[in-house]
């Protein structure tokens, strides 16, 4: 019985392993200062890189929408991503605006609703456009992690 259950567990793990997180990262990722995809690192032997200039993160005020910031992530085709905003002191801040048809959905970090977003499907994309609401007009930094393929991930993507 135990043996059977163990085998089922292993099979389940392998099944998950093959597809990783096709429908987005778990919310625990956005409470990690480096937003490292630990599952990929620990179970898929993925190699992590710091961003040099493979990926670009930019933000600007959304035209005609006070308090709303447009954020874009671009670069070589990638499957997965996470973007969040935090104060320089590392508290997640503000909230992303996600509609039902989006290619991404919100993550709830440290019980902050919509504090980050992640992909909803594993199709390759080379740019993502997001809207974020600044709740207190404070200092904030955007940060992204990208998973180009299952073998690699790129962390510490900041605005340049
Ligand atoms: C993990 O990846 C490294 C670097 O790509 C490789 O040298 C190593 O053989 C891999 N280990 C396993 C267990 O697949
Ligand atoms: C990223 O850079 C930091 C600081 O230089 C370093 O400590 C860390 O090991 C690097 N991480 C990766 C995945 O290369
Ligand atoms: C941000 O402001 C909106 C609108 O006032 C509010 O509903 C939301 O809870 C706030 N979010 C955070 C993270 O403070």
């Amino acid at each position: 019985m135990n043996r059977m259950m163990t085998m089922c567990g292993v099979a389940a793990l392998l099944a998950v392993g093959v597809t990783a997180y096709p429908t987005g990262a778990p919310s625990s990722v956005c409470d990690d200062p480096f937003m490292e995809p630990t599952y990929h690192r620990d179970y898929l032997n993925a190699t992590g890189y710091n961003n040099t200039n493979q990926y670009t993160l930019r933000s600007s005020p959304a035209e005609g929408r006070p308090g709303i910031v447009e954020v874009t992530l671009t670069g070589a085709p990638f499957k997965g991503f996470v973007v969040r905003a935090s104060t320089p002191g590392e508290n997640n801040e503000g909230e992303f605006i996600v509609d039902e048809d989006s290619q991404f959905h919100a993550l709830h970090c440290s019980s902050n609703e919509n504090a980050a977003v992640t992909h909803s499907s594993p199709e390759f994309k080379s740019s993502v456009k997001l809207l974020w609401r600044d709740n207190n007009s404070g200092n904030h930094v955007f940060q992204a992690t990208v998973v180009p393929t299952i073998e690699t991930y790129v962390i510490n993507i900041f605005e340049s």
Side-chain angles (χ1 to χ4, degrees):
M1 186 60 189
N2 276 342
R3 190 190 170 91
M4 189 67 191
M5 283 170 72
T6 306
M7 283 170 69
C8 287
V10 170
L13 188 62
L14 288 174
V16 170
V18 167
T19 51
Y21 286 109
T23 56
S27 59
S28 54
V29 73
C30 50
D31 288 321
D32 170 358
F34 298 107
M35 294 206 303
E36 213 172 356
T38 49
Y39 183 84
H40 288 239
R41 184 193 64 197
D42 297 343
Y43 294 100
L44 304 177
N45 194 33
T47 309
Y49 299 94
N50 281 314
N51 189 48
T52 46
N53 52 15
Q54 304 100 303
Y55 293 99
T56 305
L57 195 58
R58 291 221 162 83
S59 71
S60 58
E63 213 170 307
R65 300 185 68 179
I68 307 294
V69 176
E70 194 174 285
V71 185
T72 56
L73 171 65
T74 52
F78 54 98
K79 286 179 170 285
F81 67 90
V82 179
V83 180
R84 73 164 174 182
S86 65
T87 58
E90 290 296 343
N91 294 314
N92 292 315
E93 179 184 286
E95 56 179 352
F96 287 90
I97 300 167
V98 181
D99 68 54
E100 281 173 20
D101 300 332
S102 294
Q103 299 295 298
F104 44 84
H105 59 272
L107 295 173
H108 309 309
C109 334
S110 296
S111 67
N112 278 16
E113 300 259 305
N114 305 340
V117 289
T118 187
H119 59 284
S120 292
S121 84
E123 272 120 52
F124 278 114
K125 40 216 153 253
S126 56
S127 82
V128 177
K129 187 176 283 187
L130 307 161
L131 292 174
W132 178 79
R133 178 181 288 118
D134 188 358
N135 267 29
N136 65 4
S137 307
N139 283 333
H140 57 264
V141 289
F142 292 102
Q143 178 184 359
T145 288
V146 162
V147 175
T149 66
I150 219 159
E151 288 88 24
T152 59
Y153 59 88
V154 181
I155 60 171
N156 289 327
I157 303 168
F158 292 100
E159 286 189 74
S160 45

